[in-house]
Amino acid sequence: MPDIACVDLFCGAGGLTHGLIAKGIEVVAGIDVDETCRHPFEFNNAARFINEDVGRLTPKRLNDLFGSAEVRILAGCAPCQPFSTYAQRYDVVGSPRWGLLYQFGRLVESTLPDLVTMENVPSVAKHAVFDDFVETLEKKGYHVHRSIVDCSLYGLPQSRRRMVLLASKLGPIQLVAPTHDRPRTVREVIGDVAPILQGGVHPRDPLHTASGLSELNLERIRASHPGGTWRDWPKHLVADCHRREAGRTYPGVYGRMVWDEPGPTLTTQFYGYGNGRFGHPEQDRAISLREGAILQGFPKSYSFIPKGAPVHFKVLGRLIGNAVPVTLGEVIGQSITTHLRTQTGRTKRKQYGGHLCR
């Protein structure tokens, strides 16, 4: 393998970086405007974190980070909320945050890394900004591969679909084939996590903590069964908003996960029982912050806050829910390393007249 340097834009807590490193790609730096990402990114990945707005990042600064590496990789996931299906119902003109993808394109044009990868929600492909990004890559001579990925086919225990783009100046590139014949289940990944109560915390892992429930919600979760909905409850437990016609179309809230199925797509509010199908399959509580991180592919030992620091559900829910799943990072990393080995082999065969030197 050649000498590689990767810079991770919009790096967050380090999910993409952790997956890339696991597949042999050296990530030299991660850049994010959110300072709370510093500890999880640096502590778990031994890579430099730069607290900076990508829109202000200069080409010279980026080239300095790449250094003299033989292969330079620019990776990143611009914030996906502006491109989500939910946001599109209310934002038809364009969010200012769409410009972050243009900033990504600006840095590609000005530094011309050997490979580029990005990940986002599938609906990003419906927007002109994405078409412009792809057009920029193609005009600069990149071979571009893009596909909608069912992450459960690669071992992520979630029903999560994402748009993955890979681009290379070295030759055609594509995502590796699915690695799993069947999805991994909730039971397989969090079935052995120690039980805790709602509002409780495990004595040896402060991240294994569950939000508290009101008396009403405690009664609701006790009336819920895995895979069921609030429609199964006694009438006195049903929320007023769900009694109205408009609310009847949202059965996916206040639900429990199913042990022997993959979990739902995690959001930044997965720690709240009423925010989706985030109830524990068996215990009367929402899943804990640690369980959410595990469902996102993070190792059970991944540190999100310094030792002794307070646990803030909203902050950590955002870091975990917004992260590129580590499992998907590994898939992207494997695709890149496979591509580099293929291209290196072709270069050698061409150099030695079709015969590898032995």
Side-chain angles (χ1 to χ4, degrees):
M1 289 291 292
D3 178 36
I4 300 171
C6 175
V7 176
D8 185 357
L9 306 178
F10 320 104
C11 65
L16 176 59
T17 282
H18 205 70
L20 293 175
I21 291 174
K23 295 302 179 180
I25 294 175
E26 182 180 359
V27 179
V28 295
I31 301 171
D32 202 287
V33 74
D34 186 353
E35 176 64 23
T36 59
C37 299
R38 180 180 297 277
H39 172 80
F41 187 86
E42 291 189 336
F43 185 88
N44 300 282
N45 298 298
R48 179 185 177 190
F49 175 80
I50 299 172
N51 180 210
E52 189 168 327
D53 183 344
V54 168
R56 297 183 178 182
L57 184 66
T58 65
K60 181 182 183 306
R61 184 88 181 277
L62 184 55
N63 279 324
D64 288 344
L65 292 172
F66 283 133
S68 59
E70 296 175 70
V71 174
R72 304 183 306 165
I73 302 172
L74 189 59
C77 173
C80 62
Q81 288 85 353
F83 308 114
S84 70
T85 303
Y86 179 83
Q88 288 177 47
R89 290 181 294 171
Y90 305 101
D91 181 13
V92 295
V93 177
S95 163
R97 288 191 293 175
W98 290 12
L100 292 175
L101 194 50
Y102 282 118
Q103 294 298 335
F104 196 166
R106 171 183 67 87
L107 292 170
V108 171
E109 280 190 290
S110 56
T111 61
L112 296 177
D114 300 284
L115 291 104
V116 176
T117 181
M118 69 157 288
E119 179 261 17
N120 216 293
V121 293
S123 50
V124 69
K126 298 179 180 178
H127 296 274
V129 62
F130 181 76
D131 292 334
D132 292 343
F133 184 72
V134 172
E135 185 178 354
T136 295
L137 291 170
E138 292 175 340
K139 284 182 177 179
K140 291 298 180 179
Y142 287 90
H143 299 265
V144 179
H145 168 87
R146 50 179 172 167
S147 59
I148 306 296
V149 177
D150 179 351
C151 297
S152 70
L153 299 180
Y154 289 90
L156 186 74
Q158 277 186 65
S159 301
R160 192 181 190 101
R161 298 174 71 249
R162 304 294 284 185
M163 164 66 77
V164 175
L165 179 146
L166 296 167
S168 173
K169 276 187 162 292
L170 308 178
I173 186 171
Q174 62 182 4
L175 206 67
V176 294
T179 56
H180 287 63
D181 294 330
R182 64 166 183 82
R184 297 177 71 203
T185 67
V186 172
R187 188 190 302 275
E188 287 178 83
V189 295
I190 68 168
D192 62 348
V193 176
I196 55 174
L197 298 175
Q198 56 89 15
V201 58
H202 192 274
R204 291 189 297 277
D205 183 2
L207 208 73
H208 186 30
T209 179
S211 57
L213 295 176
S214 65
E215 287 297 324
L216 178 58
N217 279 342
L218 188 58
E219 191 176 355
R220 284 169 169 165
I221 197 169
R222 286 172 175 165
S224 301
H225 62 270
T229 73
W230 51 261
R231 293 170 179 166
D232 305 321
W233 296 345
K235 289 184 178 180
H236 73 279
L237 295 179
V238 178
D240 290 340
C241 61
H242 293 146
R243 296 175 191 271
R244 295 191 289 269
E245 190 62 33
R248 294 178 182 275
T249 59
Y250 294 96
V253 296
Y254 293 100
R256 284 187 187 267
M257 293 183 180
V258 179
W259 271 131
D260 296 316
E261 295 179 5
T265 299
L266 260 69
T267 69
T268 58
Q269 298 181 11
F270 67 85
Y271 54 85
Y273 165 57
N275 296 328
R277 194 172 295 282
F278 302 130
H280 191 279
E282 189 173 284
Q283 299 166 40
D284 294 333
R285 60 174 176 84
I287 59 171
S288 71
L289 292 170
R290 176 64 72 194
E291 289 165 331
I294 294 169
L295 287 165
Q296 280 281 65
F298 286 100
K300 293 179 180 179
S301 60
Y302 204 89
S303 175
F304 285 88
I305 53 174
K307 187 175 181 180
V311 172
H312 297 293
F313 279 94
K314 188 173 182 180
V315 172
L316 291 168
R318 184 182 73 245
L319 292 184
I320 296 168
N322 276 341
V324 176
V326 175
T327 307
L328 185 54
E330 292 174 349
V331 171
I332 293 170
Q334 185 62 61
S335 301
I336 290 173
T337 55
T338 299
H339 170 71
L340 290 175
R341 289 191 181 98
T342 300
Q343 294 305 317
T344 300
R346 287 175 180 169
T347 300
K348 287 182 177 179
R349 283 192 291 272
K350 184 176 180 180
Q351 182 178 355
Y352 295 106
H355 299 283
L356 287 175
C357 186
R358 297 184 182 277

